[in-house]
Structures are given as C-alpha cells and as structure tokens.
Amino acid sequence: MTLIMGVLNVTPDSFSDGGRWEHPDDAIAHAVAMAEAGAAIVDVGGESTRPGAVPVDSPQERKRVMPIVRELVARGISVSIDTLHAQTALAAVDAGAQLINDVSGGLGDRDMARVVAETGVHYVAMHWRGGADVAAGYRDVVADVREELKARVAELVVAGVQPERVILDPGLGFAKDPEHNWQLLGRLDELASLGHGILIGASRKRFVGALLPEDAPMTDRDAPTAVISALAARSGAWAVRVHDVPSTRLALDVWERWEAGAAIPVAGA
Ligand code: PMM
C-alpha cells in the first residue's frame, strides 16, 4: 500500500503554497485536515527550495517549524521534517518526528548522516545536483540518478545508518527538465531495484503544469498529480508527497480496488 505524505510548507515563499500556512493555527488546521483525508505522514518544511528563494539558517528554520512539529506530535500526527540542516532534523526528531526528509541526500550538511545514524529514524535521501534552476547534464538520467543515489546510500551506511531505514527519491524537478522527470517516472522500477522504498514528489511541479493551459491555476495541477500518484503506486512506490491529499487518496483507492480486482480468483477455475 502506497502511503501519502502531505506537504506542509511553513515558508513565506514556497512555489505553490508559500505564505498560506505561515500562521501556526492555519498550518495546524491544514495538517489535521490532511491527516483526516488520508495522509499517513505530514512533511513539515521551513525553507523553500524554489529558484531564487532566500536561504534559511537552522535557528531561523527551527523557529518556523518547531512549534508546528510539537503540536502535530501532541495531536498524534506522524511528522516528517523536510530540512537540509542536521540541527533542525535533530530538534524535530527529539520532539517526536519520525522521518527526516532531506532534499540534498546528506550533501547539504555533513552532520546529517551522523544525526540519522544516532537517532535511528527513517531517512529520505533525495537525488540532488542542485535546484530547479540548475541545468544538469545526464548521460542517461535514470542510470545516473540510480548510481548517484547508490553512492549516497553507501556513504550513509559507512556513517552507521541502517540501509533498511533509507528511502530514496529521484528528486523530480531538481536539476531535471520535464523529459528527465518523465523518464524517471516511466522507469521507476530501475530505481526500485536498489531495494529501498521510493518516494515520489511530483505534486504541482512545473512539468505537471506543462500538461495544462498556460494560465491554469495551481490547483488544476492536482488532477494530473493524482494520476501520477496512482501510477507511482502501481510501480510500487512506498509513498507519494502531495499538496492535495483528497485527490491523491481517491486515485490510490482506485488503484487499490483495481489491484484487489485482479487478485479475486475466478469461480470454478
Ligand atoms: N520537493 C520539494 C520539497 N521537498 N522532498 C522530497 N523528498 N521530494 C521532493 O520532490 C520534494 C521535497 C519542492 O516542492 P514544495 O515546494 O512543494 O515543497
């Protein structure tokens, strides 16, 4: 069963929901709504990765995210912390976060691997060569991402991280053009063959928006995102990271019924 990770950006400048959840009461209410709609985990982030976003240091990031993390944990909601900073990750785990989601796969902060090893929590290592504004050259994007993620895992294991705690993410849109993203999705099984859970973060990204008319509102991206969620589930993804939980829940329900339908034995056969 593929899990849903609901996105909660408590930032002034994230690309699709920047500023919307800056007030703690709004952020908590949105997280509760996502959990009720079927999010197994809420991913709290305090630093935008969009091109041109202002970098945030760990103390400022902690100021943004920690009150939210504490409140969600108190309400029994599973929390993941979306951060590049080892000190933010550590503070969130100490407060009860169950997963560290690191878009740099440990490259952003050399202390991250140690924090993951010492805390023993699950860790999402995303493929990272840079943000959406970086034009990276790939020989074969799927093979290159696979090799680079494999190298990240090897380094994490040397630092003492248990391999079964590591979830991998191809990092859609991060130094990848639309064609790269579709190749990574279409050949997800090649990444899955590394033997780790796979997280897919396609939600509302530019390559999804490119399927729609140019002036389409951001929320129109939720339907194609939900289709990607179902197809990712079909490819065995461990989780999908999305902004709109109800539409992805519905898409995953369809996939689960579809799969259950295939498993019903034919009478008399
Ligand atoms: N994308 C964003 C932020 N965090 N984390 C993971 N693991 N995978 C992603 O693809 C990812 C991420 C950028 O999107 P946002 O601004 O909507 O959070």
Side-chain angles (χ1 to χ4, degrees):
M1 211 181 67
T2 300
L3 303 177
I4 301 174
M5 176 186 274
V7 179
L8 185 66
N9 287 320
V10 286
T11 55
D13 54 353
S14 284
F15 79 95
S16 89
D17 56 353
R20 263 195 88 183
W21 318 117
E22 251 187 301
H23 194 283
D25 289 347
D26 296 339
I28 303 293
H30 183 55
V32 169
M34 289 196 290
E36 284 173 358
I41 190 153
V42 169
D43 190 39
V44 182
E47 179 176 18
S48 172
T49 50
R50 74 183 276 170
V54 185
V56 176
D57 63 13
S58 180
Q60 193 187 350
E61 186 184 40
R62 292 201 298 270
K63 229 162 117 182
R64 285 184 186 169
V65 298
M66 289 310 296
I68 309 292
V69 169
R70 283 194 202 97
E71 183 60 26
L72 296 184
V73 169
R75 290 174 185 236
I77 292 174
S78 296
V79 170
S80 116
I81 179 74
D82 185 350
T83 186
L84 298 164
H85 300 114
Q87 284 311 311
T88 304
L90 184 59
V93 172
D94 279 348
Q98 295 175 3
L99 187 142
I100 299 168
N101 175 26
D102 178 0
V103 298
S104 78
L107 294 170
D109 185 335
R110 287 291 165 188
D111 278 343
M112 187 62 95
R114 186 180 50 79
V115 165
V116 177
E118 285 175 8
T119 56
V121 291
H122 282 88
Y123 177 68
V124 175
M126 198 192 84
H127 177 264
W128 171 267
R129 280 194 190 175
D133 48 343
V134 174
Y138 298 96
R139 186 180 45 87
D140 167 351
V141 68
V142 182
D144 290 356
V145 166
R146 187 182 190 280
E147 278 314 298
E148 287 165 36
L149 284 175
K150 204 172 152 187
R152 298 312 312 138
V153 174
E155 205 174 298
L156 288 161
V157 169
V158 168
V161 176
Q162 292 177 322
E164 57 274 21
R165 301 262 170 201
V166 180
I167 293 138
L168 299 177
D169 182 330
L172 301 176
F174 287 85
K176 291 163 195 99
D177 63 27
E179 211 42 55
H180 294 141
N181 297 327
W182 291 117
Q183 284 179 64
L184 286 160
L185 286 169
R187 291 163 58 192
L188 218 47
D189 54 326
E190 291 176 45
L191 298 181
S193 71
L194 287 171
H196 296 267
I198 300 287
L199 173 67
I200 292 296
S203 185
R204 294 185 181 175
K205 285 189 177 163
R206 216 174 342 167
F207 78 105
V208 177
L211 296 165
L212 300 164
E214 230 170 83
D215 56 351
M218 197 50 96
T219 47
D220 279 13
R221 299 184 184 184
D222 292 332
T225 296
V227 177
I228 292 173
S229 295
L231 294 171
R234 187 176 193 175
S235 296
W238 169 77
V240 286
R241 180 182 180 278
V242 297
H243 298 85
D244 186 62
V245 173
S247 55
T248 271
R249 185 60 268 160
L250 203 52
L252 294 181
D253 286 347
V254 170
W255 161 242
E256 282 164 23
R257 295 303 294 265
W258 182 296
E259 202 181 27
I264 296 171
V266 178

